[in-house]
Amino acid sequence: MPFHIVLVEPEIPPNTGNVARTCAVTGASLGLVHPLGFSLEDRYLRRAGLDYWPEVRLKEFYSLDDVYRHYAGHRFFYFSAHGKIRYTDVRFRPGDVLVFGKETTGLPEDVLRANADRVLRIPMRKTLRSLNLSNAVAIVLYEALRQNGFPDLV
């Protein structure tokens, strides 16, 4: 069972394209929660994803509740610069859902509050706000894959 990446209201087409490419090469699925800050036909989105789009298992959602229904029974982890738990302190399992917020504001405060014990952070300098979204996804996804022996990857 693969990992599932969910981007909540992503705004920047090349970031989402890069995440799509990472999902394609790792076998992770990609869920996009509307509204999106771009069209899925955007040329920058397509260019960032190269010719990998046919390999992306893409699912569109119209709310986080839709995501929760679709992945009922799966474990969810949320990512925020304000998380108290380092992403390396968690043992990820195939099937986990890794949820990232929009580039400008991250995940909604109510989501972070309701899931405080599953909000993870990537360590970085205190003086800077955040990592690029596609880099953050890659860092976390590859750690999850590493912990599980890089299943089905060569």
Side-chain angles (χ1 to χ4, degrees), residues 42-87:
D42 186 286
R43 68 184 173 115
Y44 297 108
L45 171 77
R46 292 284 166 194
R47 189 165 77 194
L50 295 175
D51 56 349
Y52 290 68
W53 281 102
E55 299 297 321
V56 177
R57 292 180 308 113
L58 178 66
K59 177 87 174 128
E60 293 178 68
F61 299 99
Y62 291 90
S63 70
L64 264 176
D65 286 337
D66 289 346
V67 174
Y68 296 143
R69 278 190 292 277
H70 185 76
Y71 292 114
H74 291 253
R75 293 191 319 165
F76 282 76
F77 292 99
Y78 305 84
F79 294 86
S80 169
H82 306 293
K84 303 292 182 222
I85 305 163
R86 287 186 299 199
Y87 77 103

Side-chain angles (χ1 to χ4, degrees), residues 16 41 47 66 74 86 97 108 147 152:
T16 300
E41 301 306 316
R47 189 165 77 194
D66 289 346
H74 291 253
R86 287 186 299 199
V97 181
Q147 288 180 9
D152 301 321

Side-chain angles (χ1 to χ4, degrees), residues 22-130:
T22 299
C23 287
V25 302
T26 61
S29 69
L30 175 59
L32 300 178
V33 180
H34 286 261
L36 308 179
F38 49 83
S39 161
L40 288 177
E41 301 306 316
D42 186 286
R43 68 184 173 115
Y44 297 108
L45 171 77
R46 292 284 166 194
R47 189 165 77 194
L50 295 175
D51 56 349
Y52 290 68
W53 281 102
E55 299 297 321
V56 177
R57 292 180 308 113
L58 178 66
K59 177 87 174 128
E60 293 178 68
F61 299 99
Y62 291 90
S63 70
L64 264 176
D65 286 337
D66 289 346
V67 174
Y68 296 143
R69 278 190 292 277
H70 185 76
Y71 292 114
H74 291 253
R75 293 191 319 165
F76 282 76
F77 292 99
Y78 305 84
F79 294 86
S80 169
H82 306 293
K84 303 292 182 222
I85 305 163
R86 287 186 299 199
Y87 77 103
T88 53
D89 292 339
V90 170
R91 178 73 178 147
F92 295 103
R93 298 190 305 241
D96 286 348
V97 181
L98 312 176
V99 182
F100 297 82
K102 66 171 100 178
E103 292 91 338
T104 56
T105 59
L107 290 167
E109 242 347 278
D110 61 325
V111 171
L112 297 176
R113 267 194 313 277
N115 299 286
D117 61 330
R118 289 175 283 135
V119 177
L120 310 180
R121 67 178 168 81
I122 299 169
M124 60 185 173
R125 292 171 48 201
K126 287 183 181 184
T127 57
L128 300 175
R129 188 177 64 243
S130 65

